[in-house]
């Protein structure tokens, strides 16, 4: 009978669902082997009339299945926005919740793919824009890495996501954008947007100074310009206090010297 109830729910058959419930052998809280209720199924399939009917009978929109999903979660993930609204009429404080880093994973996947509508839907329904995946990476990291400008604009201007969030490797979105500069689209625009909203590589430690010295030794002007534009001070020295200017002079890289000598902080 539970199978019959869930089958009727999947079809949105309000009359059959009512008939099965009135028989008294099963209830609104009856579950299948995956702990899914009639409301789970109706919400997943977007059956608005049946969802409203079940909620009026006091079905629980927060009950979890074996995978930690609620009927509300199912409606959000299935993009049934009208069903989401119906559930919110009954429980205005309900929000999308998953255990561990699953919410961060969903946000990161959507940011990687550039699926702005999915990110908006998750945020509107209670997901923190700073939720992170198992590596501490957020939607901001992924959008910056992939050059997804629309997603970045939304995260910065809408829910005000943390512009200097750090993953478990201590990396920021700006660092991702700089690291992928030469192989990603919109690299310059992404970096400027992040800088304009407070992101910088200044103060990120010795690693970037060492990198810049290496670029100076190799004569890679564009790499030096990239780091300098994003906040790395060209006058700083490495672990031996040798600066990019030392390395460029030592190796006779005149193009690098010409660039460095035009910078205000160079000594």
């Amino acid at each position: 009978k539970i199978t019959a109830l869930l089958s009727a729910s999947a079809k949105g058959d309000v009359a059959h669902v009512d008939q099965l419930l009135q028989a008294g052998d099963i209830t609104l809280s009856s579950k299948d082997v995956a702990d899914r209720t009639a409301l789970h199924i109706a919400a997943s399939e977007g059956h608005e009339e049946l969802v409203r009917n079940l909620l009026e009978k006091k079905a629980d929109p927060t009950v979890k299945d074996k995978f930690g999903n609620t009927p509300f979660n199912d409606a959000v993930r299935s993009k049934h926005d009208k069903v989401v609204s119906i559930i919110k009429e009954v429980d205005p404080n309900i929000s999308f919740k998953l255990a561990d880093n699953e919410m961060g994973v969903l946000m990161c996947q959507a940011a990687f793919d550039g699926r702005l509508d999915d990110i908006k839907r998750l945020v509107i329904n209670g997901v923190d824009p700073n939720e992170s995946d198992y590596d501490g990476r957020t939607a901001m990291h992924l959008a910056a890495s992939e050059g997804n400008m629309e997603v970045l604009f939304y995260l910065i201007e809408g829910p005000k996501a943390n512009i200097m969030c750090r993953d478990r490797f201590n990396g920021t979105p700006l660092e991702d954008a700089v690291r992928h500069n030469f192989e990603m689209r919109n690299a310059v625009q992404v970096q400027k947007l992040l800088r304009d909203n407070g992101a910088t590589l200044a103060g990120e430690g010795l690693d970037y100074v060492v990198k810049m010295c290496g670029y100076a030794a190799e004569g890679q002007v564009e790499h030096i310009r990239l780091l300098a534009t994003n906040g790395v001070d060209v006058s700083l020295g490495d672990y031996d206090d040798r600066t990019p200017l030392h390395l460029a002079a030592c190796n006779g890289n005149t193009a690098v010297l010409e660039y460095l000598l035009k910078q205000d902080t160079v000594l």
Side-chain angles (χ1 to χ4, degrees):
K1 290 187 176 180
I2 292 175
T3 300
L5 175 65
L6 299 190
S7 178
S9 299
K11 297 173 183 176
D13 190 336
V14 177
H16 193 192
V17 168
D18 280 344
Q19 179 185 355
L20 290 166
L21 290 173
Q22 288 169 7
D25 297 327
I26 50 177
T27 67
L28 290 168
S29 59
S30 296
K31 300 178 180 181
D32 66 6
V33 293
D35 287 346
R36 291 173 65 74
T37 65
L39 187 57
H40 276 101
I41 304 302
S44 296
E45 297 298 327
H47 295 309
E48 299 165 20
E49 183 184 357
L50 179 56
V51 167
R52 192 179 294 278
N53 180 276
L54 291 170
L55 289 171
E56 287 173 354
K57 289 180 170 64
K58 306 303 180 184
D60 185 359
T62 65
V63 63
K64 293 181 180 180
D65 63 18
K66 281 189 176 179
F67 310 101
N69 281 304
T70 65
F72 183 74
N73 281 13
D74 287 342
V76 173
R77 295 178 84 162
S78 300
K79 305 180 184 181
H80 296 310
D81 296 332
K82 181 60 178 175
V83 171
V84 169
S85 297
I86 292 170
I87 295 175
K88 281 185 170 181
E89 290 173 13
V90 174
D91 186 353
N93 297 317
I94 197 168
S95 61
F96 187 99
K97 292 180 181 178
L98 286 172
D100 302 321
N101 300 110
E102 288 304 306
M103 292 193 293
V105 169
L106 287 177
M107 288 286 286
C108 286
Q109 288 173 340
F112 179 85
D113 295 333
R115 290 183 277 114
L116 179 57
D117 286 346
D118 288 353
I119 289 177
K120 285 182 177 180
R121 183 175 289 105
L122 289 170
V123 172
I124 288 169
N125 288 297
V127 177
D128 187 332
N130 297 308
E131 286 283 352
S132 60
D133 67 7
Y134 35 80
D135 281 326
R137 293 173 64 73
T138 67
M140 185 81 78
H141 282 98
L142 274 295
S145 295
E146 296 300 313
N148 289 326
M149 291 293 292
E150 285 189 349
V151 174
L152 279 176
F153 272 122
Y154 170 72
L155 291 171
I156 292 170
E157 298 297 329
K160 308 294 183 183
N162 182 6
I163 202 80
M164 287 294 286
C165 53
R166 294 181 183 274
D167 58 26
R168 73 181 179 92
F169 311 104
N170 207 36
T172 65
L174 181 58
E175 288 185 280
D176 283 346
V178 169
R179 186 181 308 112
H180 299 291
N181 179 80
F182 297 103
E183 64 264 11
M184 68 179 261
R185 61 197 172 102
N186 303 323
V188 174
Q189 295 94 321
V190 167
Q191 291 161 29
K192 184 177 187 305
L193 177 62
L194 293 171
R195 289 198 308 272
D196 288 348
N197 286 277
T200 180
L201 295 184
E204 287 299 324
L206 191 60
D207 284 349
Y208 280 99
V209 178
V210 172
K211 282 184 180 180
M212 188 174 280
C213 286
Y215 294 147
E218 296 164 3
Q220 298 190 55
V221 180
E222 288 307 312
H223 287 72
I224 293 173
R225 192 192 313 276
L226 172 64
L227 295 185
T229 300
N230 286 291
V232 181
D233 189 342
V234 296
S235 70
L236 295 178
D238 64 11
Y239 36 79
D240 287 326
D241 287 337
R242 292 176 65 74
T243 68
L245 197 64
H246 282 101
L247 275 297
C250 180
N251 286 2
N253 291 323
T254 55
V256 174
L257 287 170
E258 288 175 357
Y259 171 77
L260 292 173
L261 291 168
K262 292 176 182 176
Q263 308 309 306
D264 293 337
T265 61
V266 163
L267 300 176

